[in-house]
Amino acid sequence: MGKGYSARIASNPYIVGTFACIGGGLFGLDISSMSAVLNNPAYANTFNNPLANVQGAIVASMPAGSLVGALSVTYLGDKIGRKKTVIISGLFWVIGSILQCASVNRGMLVVGRIIAGYAVGLASSVVPVYQSEVAAPAIRGRLVSFQQWSITWGILLQYFVQFGCSYINGTASFRIPWGLQMIPAIVLSLGMLAFPESPRWLVDHGREEEALEILADLHGGGNQQDELVVLEFEEIKQQVYFERTEGAKAWVDLVKPGVFRRVVLGSTLQMWSQLTGMNVMMYYVVYVFEGAGLTGRRANLIADSVQYVLNVAFTVPAIIYIDRWGRRPMLIYGCLIMGFWLYLVGGLQARFGEWGTISGVPTWVVLNNGAATKAIIVCSYCFVSSFAITMGPASWTYPAEIFPMRVRSKAVSLSTATNWLFNFALAWAAPPMLTHIQWKTYFVFGTFNFAACIHFFFCFPETAQRSLEEIEEVFAQGHEYTAWKVSRDVGKRNLDDVLANKVDEKESIEKGEA
């Protein structure tokens, strides 16, 4: 550990590339920490029976904090590094968890959720950047996809803790789970002390010897002469030196030619990931299944847990094959299929639903029709499974790999902030939507999925199986609205190509000085 990290840990690409994903798991913990208490009488009594708009505001307070956290990474990620930012995110989560666990009124709960949200915003922005910068090109998509898988595990584990505690009478039924969720954050902050800093960040800050040593431990078994290590090191240096000639880093860089297009792609992808309706189905699955006619608190909790298990299980094939399938097919076909399932849910609700009451509140609900209830639940399961195997992992991987080094931290932060902005809006809007426009809510999100499918087809080029520096060539091809024309071989280089380019650049500089 004289290096400031464990070389043994750094030598295992899956450990070094996935441990930070605990930060993504924090988001998952938050989702089910709220969804599982929506029909908990102790929660309702403690916080004065929040109705649709108030409950939406309580849920939305977390993504509001996440929006601020994501934007903070634009400074922290460049200033103090990727590793330290991850550590800080864990500390903020612990503070937020303590406040939520001890909350005695809505105000205290909201403050705790905002602070915890700030932690999630930091982690969700910096973790994919860190992963993409330490991973080898051949498995980068797989490792960044673990971010989504960790979210699904966070949702599942917290939900089962909530389910077990639901048998406890009184406020302990929700305070215990809210307190236990600080444990992963403590593990994250302490564990990251044994992990290396991003070598790309080190090169960008003039610490090239450290960067080469870390690259050797990451990809060469400690051998600094390994071909992949030399290739990556030379590519990183060339890219960083080139970007330095462009001037100091600034927000205006995000609107420069060649970069602004990617900012739009990263931000709109994160926007679409929310507009698919996935997090609405996660946060408010209790409301969705109640509207489908599933009665009884225990029955609803069990049905919800099946959805969360499917979410975990169907993310696994995406992790394994994302680098083989590519990002484009997962985004395009994923949205097409998800739109189909949401239209089925909306159609079934429209055909078999009617006005009724749940807990004394007027609600559009399917009554006394077991077949329709089961069909809606199955369609919901299919929707979640479709997201898990396609859009979920790809929506985190793509923005983390398309930006140049000099703007990567700012651009990824802006993309993730877009995610949290729409998460905030939808978390607040979903309960009133389900109350006032009922089944039409599913048609709204289904339409968003079809619109996203068209956008992905025309505008999103493939980035799989390339180094972060080779992706520059992908976007240099143009094809702004004909992305399907970019070949999967574009940008591929070997060590000889990189070294030859280095010689050409040196000769060009010498001629300029002469």
Short mmCIF file of all heavy atoms in Angstrom, two decimals, residues 330-387:
data_model
loop_
_atom_site.label_atom_id
_atom_site.label_comp_id
_atom_site.label_asym_id
_atom_site.label_seq_id
_atom_site.Cartn_x
_atom_site.Cartn_y
_atom_site.Cartn_z
N MET A 330 -29.11 -2.23 -28.30
CA MET A 330 -29.75 -2.29 -26.98
C MET A 330 -30.66 -1.10 -26.76
O MET A 330 -31.76 -1.24 -26.20
CB MET A 330 -28.68 -2.35 -25.90
CG MET A 330 -27.86 -3.63 -25.92
SD MET A 330 -26.49 -3.64 -24.75
CE MET A 330 -27.38 -3.79 -23.20
N LEU A 331 -30.24 0.08 -27.21
CA LEU A 331 -31.05 1.27 -27.03
C LEU A 331 -32.29 1.25 -27.94
O LEU A 331 -33.40 1.53 -27.51
CB LEU A 331 -30.22 2.52 -27.32
CG LEU A 331 -29.06 2.81 -26.34
CD1 LEU A 331 -28.21 3.96 -26.86
CD2 LEU A 331 -29.60 3.14 -24.95
N ILE A 332 -32.07 0.92 -29.21
CA ILE A 332 -33.16 0.97 -30.20
C ILE A 332 -34.23 -0.07 -29.91
O ILE A 332 -35.42 0.25 -29.76
CB ILE A 332 -32.59 0.79 -31.61
CG1 ILE A 332 -31.70 1.98 -31.99
CG2 ILE A 332 -33.73 0.63 -32.63
CD1 ILE A 332 -30.87 1.77 -33.24
N TYR A 333 -33.82 -1.34 -29.82
CA TYR A 333 -34.81 -2.41 -29.61
C TYR A 333 -35.41 -2.36 -28.21
O TYR A 333 -36.58 -2.71 -28.01
CB TYR A 333 -34.17 -3.77 -29.87
CG TYR A 333 -33.78 -3.98 -31.32
CD1 TYR A 333 -32.45 -4.18 -31.67
CD2 TYR A 333 -34.74 -3.93 -32.32
CE1 TYR A 333 -32.09 -4.35 -32.99
CE2 TYR A 333 -34.38 -4.10 -33.66
CZ TYR A 333 -33.05 -4.30 -33.98
OH TYR A 333 -32.69 -4.47 -35.30
N GLY A 334 -34.61 -1.90 -27.24
CA GLY A 334 -35.13 -1.81 -25.89
C GLY A 334 -36.32 -0.88 -25.79
O GLY A 334 -37.36 -1.23 -25.21
N CYS A 335 -36.18 0.32 -26.36
CA CYS A 335 -37.28 1.29 -26.29
C CYS A 335 -38.50 0.83 -27.09
O CYS A 335 -39.64 1.07 -26.69
CB CYS A 335 -36.81 2.65 -26.78
SG CYS A 335 -35.76 3.50 -25.58
N LEU A 336 -38.25 0.17 -28.20
CA LEU A 336 -39.35 -0.33 -29.01
C LEU A 336 -40.19 -1.34 -28.22
O LEU A 336 -41.43 -1.28 -28.19
CB LEU A 336 -38.79 -0.99 -30.28
CG LEU A 336 -39.77 -1.29 -31.41
CD1 LEU A 336 -40.37 0.00 -31.97
CD2 LEU A 336 -39.06 -2.07 -32.51
N ILE A 337 -39.52 -2.25 -27.55
CA ILE A 337 -40.22 -3.29 -26.78
C ILE A 337 -40.89 -2.69 -25.54
O ILE A 337 -42.04 -3.05 -25.22
CB ILE A 337 -39.22 -4.40 -26.38
CG1 ILE A 337 -38.68 -5.09 -27.62
CG2 ILE A 337 -39.89 -5.41 -25.45
CD1 ILE A 337 -37.50 -6.00 -27.36
N MET A 338 -40.21 -1.78 -24.85
CA MET A 338 -40.80 -1.18 -23.65
C MET A 338 -42.06 -0.39 -23.97
O MET A 338 -43.05 -0.43 -23.23
CB MET A 338 -39.78 -0.27 -22.95
CG MET A 338 -38.68 -1.02 -22.24
SD MET A 338 -37.62 0.05 -21.25
CE MET A 338 -36.71 0.93 -22.53
N GLY A 339 -42.04 0.33 -25.09
CA GLY A 339 -43.23 1.07 -25.51
C GLY A 339 -44.41 0.14 -25.73
O GLY A 339 -45.56 0.45 -25.37
N PHE A 340 -44.13 -1.02 -26.32
CA PHE A 340 -45.18 -2.02 -26.57
C PHE A 340 -45.83 -2.48 -25.27
O PHE A 340 -47.06 -2.51 -25.15
CB PHE A 340 -44.56 -3.21 -27.31
CG PHE A 340 -45.46 -4.41 -27.41
CD1 PHE A 340 -46.53 -4.42 -28.30
CD2 PHE A 340 -45.24 -5.52 -26.61
CE1 PHE A 340 -47.37 -5.53 -28.39
CE2 PHE A 340 -46.07 -6.64 -26.69
CZ PHE A 340 -47.13 -6.64 -27.59
N TRP A 341 -45.01 -2.79 -24.25
CA TRP A 341 -45.57 -3.28 -22.98
C TRP A 341 -46.37 -2.21 -22.27
O TRP A 341 -47.43 -2.50 -21.68
CB TRP A 341 -44.46 -3.79 -22.07
CG TRP A 341 -43.74 -5.00 -22.56
CD1 TRP A 341 -42.41 -5.14 -22.82
CD2 TRP A 341 -44.33 -6.28 -22.86
NE1 TRP A 341 -42.12 -6.40 -23.26
CE2 TRP A 341 -43.28 -7.12 -23.29
CE3 TRP A 341 -45.63 -6.79 -22.80
CZ2 TRP A 341 -43.50 -8.45 -23.66
CZ3 TRP A 341 -45.85 -8.10 -23.17
CH2 TRP A 341 -44.80 -8.92 -23.60
N LEU A 342 -45.90 -0.96 -22.31
CA LEU A 342 -46.64 0.12 -21.65
C LEU A 342 -47.99 0.37 -22.33
O LEU A 342 -48.98 0.66 -21.65
CB LEU A 342 -45.81 1.39 -21.63
CG LEU A 342 -44.63 1.40 -20.65
CD1 LEU A 342 -43.82 2.68 -20.79
CD2 LEU A 342 -45.13 1.26 -19.20
N TYR A 343 -48.03 0.27 -23.64
CA TYR A 343 -49.31 0.44 -24.33
C TYR A 343 -50.28 -0.68 -23.96
O TYR A 343 -51.50 -0.46 -23.85
CB TYR A 343 -49.09 0.49 -25.85
CG TYR A 343 -49.03 1.89 -26.38
CD1 TYR A 343 -47.93 2.71 -26.12
CD2 TYR A 343 -50.07 2.43 -27.12
CE1 TYR A 343 -47.87 4.01 -26.59
CE2 TYR A 343 -50.02 3.72 -27.61
CZ TYR A 343 -48.93 4.51 -27.34
OH TYR A 343 -48.89 5.80 -27.80
N LEU A 344 -49.75 -1.89 -23.75
CA LEU A 344 -50.61 -2.99 -23.31
C LEU A 344 -51.18 -2.71 -21.91
O LEU A 344 -52.37 -2.93 -21.66
CB LEU A 344 -49.83 -4.30 -23.30
CG LEU A 344 -49.74 -5.07 -24.62
CD1 LEU A 344 -48.95 -6.36 -24.41
CD2 LEU A 344 -51.13 -5.39 -25.17
N VAL A 345 -50.32 -2.24 -21.00
CA VAL A 345 -50.80 -1.92 -19.65
C VAL A 345 -51.88 -0.85 -19.71
O VAL A 345 -52.95 -0.97 -19.08
CB VAL A 345 -49.63 -1.44 -18.75
CG1 VAL A 345 -50.17 -0.91 -17.42
CG2 VAL A 345 -48.65 -2.57 -18.50
N GLY A 346 -51.64 0.22 -20.47
CA GLY A 346 -52.63 1.29 -20.60
C GLY A 346 -53.93 0.81 -21.21
O GLY A 346 -55.03 1.18 -20.76
N GLY A 347 -53.82 -0.04 -22.23
CA GLY A 347 -55.02 -0.57 -22.87
C GLY A 347 -55.85 -1.44 -21.94
O GLY A 347 -57.08 -1.34 -21.91
N LEU A 348 -55.18 -2.28 -21.18
CA LEU A 348 -55.89 -3.15 -20.23
C LEU A 348 -56.55 -2.33 -19.13
O LEU A 348 -57.69 -2.61 -18.73
CB LEU A 348 -54.91 -4.16 -19.63
CG LEU A 348 -54.41 -5.26 -20.57
CD1 LEU A 348 -53.22 -5.99 -19.97
CD2 LEU A 348 -55.54 -6.24 -20.87
N GLN A 349 -55.82 -1.31 -18.64
CA GLN A 349 -56.41 -0.44 -17.61
C GLN A 349 -57.63 0.30 -18.15
O GLN A 349 -58.65 0.44 -17.46
CB GLN A 349 -55.36 0.59 -17.14
CG GLN A 349 -54.31 0.02 -16.21
CD GLN A 349 -54.74 0.10 -14.75
OE1 GLN A 349 -55.90 0.30 -14.44
NE2 GLN A 349 -53.79 -0.09 -13.85
N ALA A 350 -57.54 0.80 -19.40
CA ALA A 350 -58.66 1.54 -19.99
C ALA A 350 -59.88 0.65 -20.19
O ALA A 350 -61.02 1.06 -19.95
CB ALA A 350 -58.23 2.16 -21.31
N ARG A 351 -59.62 -0.59 -20.65
CA ARG A 351 -60.73 -1.49 -20.99
C ARG A 351 -61.42 -2.06 -19.76
O ARG A 351 -62.65 -2.17 -19.70
CB ARG A 351 -60.20 -2.63 -21.87
CG ARG A 351 -61.20 -3.73 -22.18
CD ARG A 351 -62.37 -3.21 -23.02
NE ARG A 351 -63.33 -4.25 -23.32
CZ ARG A 351 -64.29 -4.65 -22.51
NH1 ARG A 351 -64.44 -4.07 -21.30
NH2 ARG A 351 -65.13 -5.60 -22.87
N PHE A 352 -60.65 -2.42 -18.74
CA PHE A 352 -61.23 -3.16 -17.60
C PHE A 352 -61.28 -2.36 -16.31
O PHE A 352 -61.82 -2.83 -15.31
CB PHE A 352 -60.44 -4.45 -17.37
CG PHE A 352 -60.46 -5.39 -18.54
CD1 PHE A 352 -59.32 -5.53 -19.35
CD2 PHE A 352 -61.60 -6.10 -18.87
CE1 PHE A 352 -59.33 -6.39 -20.43
CE2 PHE A 352 -61.62 -6.97 -19.95
CZ PHE A 352 -60.48 -7.10 -20.75
N GLY A 353 -60.74 -1.14 -16.31
CA GLY A 353 -60.74 -0.34 -15.09
C GLY A 353 -62.00 0.48 -14.91
O GLY A 353 -62.78 0.69 -15.85
N GLU A 354 -62.20 0.97 -13.70
CA GLU A 354 -63.32 1.85 -13.38
C GLU A 354 -62.97 2.62 -12.10
O GLU A 354 -62.00 2.31 -11.41
CB GLU A 354 -64.59 1.03 -13.16
CG GLU A 354 -64.47 0.00 -12.04
CD GLU A 354 -65.69 -0.90 -11.94
OE1 GLU A 354 -65.75 -1.91 -12.67
OE2 GLU A 354 -66.56 -0.57 -11.11
N TRP A 355 -63.76 3.62 -11.79
CA TRP A 355 -63.50 4.40 -10.58
C TRP A 355 -63.88 3.60 -9.34
O TRP A 355 -64.94 3.00 -9.25
CB TRP A 355 -64.27 5.71 -10.60
CG TRP A 355 -63.64 6.74 -11.49
CD1 TRP A 355 -64.09 7.17 -12.69
CD2 TRP A 355 -62.42 7.44 -11.24
NE1 TRP A 355 -63.24 8.10 -13.23
CE2 TRP A 355 -62.20 8.29 -12.36
CE3 TRP A 355 -61.48 7.43 -10.21
CZ2 TRP A 355 -61.08 9.12 -12.45
CZ3 TRP A 355 -60.38 8.25 -10.30
CH2 TRP A 355 -60.18 9.09 -11.41
N GLY A 356 -62.94 3.58 -8.39
CA GLY A 356 -63.18 2.94 -7.11
C GLY A 356 -62.44 3.72 -6.03
O GLY A 356 -62.02 4.85 -6.25
N THR A 357 -62.27 3.14 -4.88
CA THR A 357 -61.53 3.81 -3.79
C THR A 357 -60.50 2.86 -3.20
O THR A 357 -60.75 1.66 -3.06
CB THR A 357 -62.47 4.29 -2.68
OG1 THR A 357 -63.19 3.16 -2.15
CG2 THR A 357 -63.45 5.33 -3.19
N ILE A 358 -59.33 3.41 -2.89
CA ILE A 358 -58.28 2.68 -2.18
C ILE A 358 -57.86 3.54 -1.00
O ILE A 358 -57.44 4.68 -1.19
CB ILE A 358 -57.07 2.39 -3.10
CG1 ILE A 358 -57.49 1.47 -4.25
CG2 ILE A 358 -55.94 1.76 -2.30
CD1 ILE A 358 -56.37 1.19 -5.24
N SER A 359 -58.01 3.00 0.20
CA SER A 359 -57.71 3.75 1.44
C SER A 359 -58.48 5.06 1.49
O SER A 359 -57.97 6.09 1.93
CB SER A 359 -56.20 4.01 1.54
OG SER A 359 -55.48 2.80 1.55
N GLY A 360 -59.70 5.04 0.98
CA GLY A 360 -60.56 6.21 1.01
C GLY A 360 -60.28 7.24 -0.06
O GLY A 360 -60.93 8.29 -0.10
N VAL A 361 -59.33 6.95 -0.97
CA VAL A 361 -58.97 7.90 -2.03
C VAL A 361 -59.53 7.41 -3.36
O VAL A 361 -59.32 6.24 -3.73
CB VAL A 361 -57.43 8.05 -2.13
CG1 VAL A 361 -57.07 9.01 -3.25
CG2 VAL A 361 -56.86 8.52 -0.81
N PRO A 362 -60.25 8.27 -4.12
CA PRO A 362 -60.77 7.85 -5.43
C PRO A 362 -59.63 7.44 -6.36
O PRO A 362 -58.64 8.17 -6.52
CB PRO A 362 -61.48 9.12 -5.95
CG PRO A 362 -61.77 9.91 -4.73
CD PRO A 362 -60.65 9.64 -3.77
N THR A 363 -59.74 6.25 -6.96
CA THR A 363 -58.66 5.69 -7.77
C THR A 363 -59.24 4.92 -8.94
O THR A 363 -60.27 4.26 -8.82
CB THR A 363 -57.78 4.73 -6.92
OG1 THR A 363 -57.32 5.42 -5.76
CG2 THR A 363 -56.59 4.24 -7.72
N TRP A 364 -58.60 5.02 -10.09
CA TRP A 364 -58.97 4.20 -11.25
C TRP A 364 -58.39 2.81 -11.01
O TRP A 364 -57.18 2.64 -10.90
CB TRP A 364 -58.41 4.80 -12.53
CG TRP A 364 -58.87 4.07 -13.77
CD1 TRP A 364 -58.24 3.04 -14.40
CD2 TRP A 364 -60.06 4.31 -14.52
NE1 TRP A 364 -58.95 2.62 -15.49
CE2 TRP A 364 -60.08 3.39 -15.59
CE3 TRP A 364 -61.12 5.22 -14.38
CZ2 TRP A 364 -61.11 3.35 -16.53
CZ3 TRP A 364 -62.14 5.18 -15.31
CH2 TRP A 364 -62.13 4.27 -16.38
N VAL A 365 -59.25 1.80 -10.91
CA VAL A 365 -58.79 0.48 -10.49
C VAL A 365 -59.55 -0.61 -11.23
O VAL A 365 -60.72 -0.44 -11.61
CB VAL A 365 -58.98 0.33 -8.96
CG1 VAL A 365 -60.45 0.48 -8.57
CG2 VAL A 365 -58.39 -0.97 -8.45
N VAL A 366 -58.89 -1.73 -11.47
CA VAL A 366 -59.51 -2.92 -12.04
C VAL A 366 -60.14 -3.71 -10.90
O VAL A 366 -59.46 -4.11 -9.96
CB VAL A 366 -58.48 -3.78 -12.78
CG1 VAL A 366 -59.12 -5.08 -13.27
CG2 VAL A 366 -57.87 -3.00 -13.94
N LEU A 367 -61.46 -3.91 -10.97
CA LEU A 367 -62.19 -4.58 -9.89
C LEU A 367 -62.76 -5.92 -10.35
O LEU A 367 -63.33 -6.02 -11.45
CB LEU A 367 -63.33 -3.69 -9.39
CG LEU A 367 -62.92 -2.36 -8.73
CD1 LEU A 367 -64.17 -1.51 -8.45
CD2 LEU A 367 -62.14 -2.62 -7.45
N ASN A 368 -62.57 -6.94 -9.54
CA ASN A 368 -63.20 -8.24 -9.75
C ASN A 368 -62.93 -8.83 -11.13
O ASN A 368 -63.81 -9.39 -11.79
CB ASN A 368 -64.72 -8.13 -9.52
CG ASN A 368 -65.06 -7.59 -8.16
OD1 ASN A 368 -64.45 -7.99 -7.15
ND2 ASN A 368 -66.01 -6.67 -8.09
N ASN A 369 -61.69 -8.67 -11.61
CA ASN A 369 -61.31 -9.25 -12.90
C ASN A 369 -59.89 -9.79 -12.77
O ASN A 369 -58.91 -9.12 -13.09
CB ASN A 369 -61.39 -8.19 -14.01
CG ASN A 369 -61.29 -8.81 -15.40
OD1 ASN A 369 -60.55 -9.77 -15.60
ND2 ASN A 369 -62.02 -8.25 -16.35
N GLY A 370 -59.80 -11.00 -12.25
CA GLY A 370 -58.49 -11.59 -11.97
C GLY A 370 -57.61 -11.71 -13.20
O GLY A 370 -56.39 -11.52 -13.12
N ALA A 371 -58.20 -12.02 -14.35
CA ALA A 371 -57.41 -12.19 -15.58
C ALA A 371 -56.76 -10.87 -15.98
O ALA A 371 -55.57 -10.84 -16.34
CB ALA A 371 -58.31 -12.70 -16.70
N ALA A 372 -57.53 -9.77 -15.92
CA ALA A 372 -56.97 -8.46 -16.28
C ALA A 372 -55.89 -8.04 -15.29
O ALA A 372 -54.85 -7.49 -15.68
CB ALA A 372 -58.08 -7.42 -16.34
N THR A 373 -56.13 -8.30 -14.01
CA THR A 373 -55.14 -7.96 -12.99
C THR A 373 -53.82 -8.69 -13.25
O THR A 373 -52.74 -8.08 -13.24
CB THR A 373 -55.66 -8.33 -11.58
OG1 THR A 373 -56.81 -7.55 -11.29
CG2 THR A 373 -54.60 -8.10 -10.52
N LYS A 374 -53.92 -9.99 -13.52
CA LYS A 374 -52.70 -10.77 -13.78
C LYS A 374 -52.01 -10.30 -15.06
O LYS A 374 -50.77 -10.24 -15.12
CB LYS A 374 -53.06 -12.25 -13.88
CG LYS A 374 -53.51 -12.85 -12.55
CD LYS A 374 -53.97 -14.29 -12.72
CE LYS A 374 -54.49 -14.85 -11.40
NZ LYS A 374 -55.04 -16.23 -11.55
N ALA A 375 -52.79 -9.97 -16.08
CA ALA A 375 -52.20 -9.53 -17.35
C ALA A 375 -51.42 -8.23 -17.17
O ALA A 375 -50.33 -8.07 -17.72
CB ALA A 375 -53.30 -9.36 -18.39
N ILE A 376 -51.99 -7.30 -16.40
CA ILE A 376 -51.31 -6.01 -16.16
C ILE A 376 -50.01 -6.23 -15.40
O ILE A 376 -48.97 -5.65 -15.72
CB ILE A 376 -52.23 -5.05 -15.39
CG1 ILE A 376 -53.39 -4.62 -16.29
CG2 ILE A 376 -51.46 -3.82 -14.90
CD1 ILE A 376 -54.48 -3.85 -15.56
N ILE A 377 -50.05 -7.10 -14.39
CA ILE A 377 -48.85 -7.38 -13.60
C ILE A 377 -47.78 -8.03 -14.46
O ILE A 377 -46.59 -7.67 -14.40
CB ILE A 377 -49.20 -8.26 -12.38
CG1 ILE A 377 -50.07 -7.46 -11.40
CG2 ILE A 377 -47.93 -8.75 -11.69
CD1 ILE A 377 -50.60 -8.29 -10.25
N VAL A 378 -48.18 -8.98 -15.31
CA VAL A 378 -47.22 -9.65 -16.20
C VAL A 378 -46.61 -8.67 -17.18
O VAL A 378 -45.40 -8.69 -17.44
CB VAL A 378 -47.90 -10.82 -16.95
CG1 VAL A 378 -46.99 -11.34 -18.07
CG2 VAL A 378 -48.22 -11.95 -15.99
N CYS A 379 -47.43 -7.79 -17.75
CA CYS A 379 -46.91 -6.77 -18.67
C CYS A 379 -45.93 -5.83 -17.96
O CYS A 379 -44.93 -5.41 -18.54
CB CYS A 379 -48.05 -5.96 -19.28
SG CYS A 379 -49.01 -6.86 -20.52
N SER A 380 -46.21 -5.53 -16.71
CA SER A 380 -45.29 -4.71 -15.92
C SER A 380 -43.97 -5.43 -15.73
O SER A 380 -42.88 -4.84 -15.88
CB SER A 380 -45.92 -4.37 -14.57
OG SER A 380 -45.00 -3.68 -13.75
N TYR A 381 -44.04 -6.72 -15.43
CA TYR A 381 -42.82 -7.52 -15.30
C TYR A 381 -42.03 -7.52 -16.61
O TYR A 381 -40.79 -7.40 -16.60
CB TYR A 381 -43.17 -8.96 -14.92
CG TYR A 381 -43.70 -9.16 -13.51
CD1 TYR A 381 -44.37 -10.33 -13.17
CD2 TYR A 381 -43.50 -8.21 -12.52
CE1 TYR A 381 -44.84 -10.55 -11.88
CE2 TYR A 381 -43.97 -8.41 -11.23
CZ TYR A 381 -44.65 -9.57 -10.92
OH TYR A 381 -45.12 -9.77 -9.63
N CYS A 382 -42.73 -7.68 -17.72
CA CYS A 382 -42.05 -7.73 -19.02
C CYS A 382 -41.41 -6.38 -19.35
O CYS A 382 -40.31 -6.32 -19.93
CB CYS A 382 -43.05 -8.11 -20.12
SG CYS A 382 -43.62 -9.82 -20.04
N PHE A 383 -42.08 -5.30 -18.98
CA PHE A 383 -41.52 -3.97 -19.20
C PHE A 383 -40.21 -3.79 -18.42
O PHE A 383 -39.19 -3.36 -18.97
CB PHE A 383 -42.53 -2.90 -18.77
CG PHE A 383 -41.94 -1.52 -18.66
CD1 PHE A 383 -41.74 -0.74 -19.78
CD2 PHE A 383 -41.57 -1.00 -17.42
CE1 PHE A 383 -41.16 0.53 -19.68
CE2 PHE A 383 -41.01 0.26 -17.31
CZ PHE A 383 -40.81 1.03 -18.44
N VAL A 384 -40.25 -4.15 -17.15
CA VAL A 384 -39.05 -4.00 -16.31
C VAL A 384 -37.92 -4.89 -16.81
O VAL A 384 -36.76 -4.47 -16.87
CB VAL A 384 -39.40 -4.33 -14.84
CG1 VAL A 384 -38.14 -4.45 -13.99
CG2 VAL A 384 -40.31 -3.26 -14.26
N SER A 385 -38.24 -6.10 -17.21
CA SER A 385 -37.22 -7.01 -17.74
C SER A 385 -36.61 -6.47 -19.02
O SER A 385 -35.39 -6.59 -19.25
CB SER A 385 -37.83 -8.39 -17.99
OG SER A 385 -38.34 -8.95 -16.80
N SER A 386 -37.44 -5.86 -19.86
CA SER A 386 -36.94 -5.28 -21.12
C SER A 386 -35.99 -4.13 -20.85
O SER A 386 -34.96 -3.99 -21.52
CB SER A 386 -38.13 -4.79 -21.97
OG SER A 386 -39.01 -5.85 -22.27
N PHE A 387 -36.31 -3.30 -19.87
CA PHE A 387 -35.41 -2.19 -19.51
C PHE A 387 -34.10 -2.74 -18.97
O PHE A 387 -33.01 -2.25 -19.31
CB PHE A 387 -36.08 -1.30 -18.46
CG PHE A 387 -35.23 -0.13 -18.02
CD1 PHE A 387 -35.34 1.10 -18.66
CD2 PHE A 387 -34.33 -0.25 -16.97
CE1 PHE A 387 -34.56 2.18 -18.27
CE2 PHE A 387 -33.55 0.83 -16.56
CZ PHE A 387 -33.67 2.04 -17.22
#
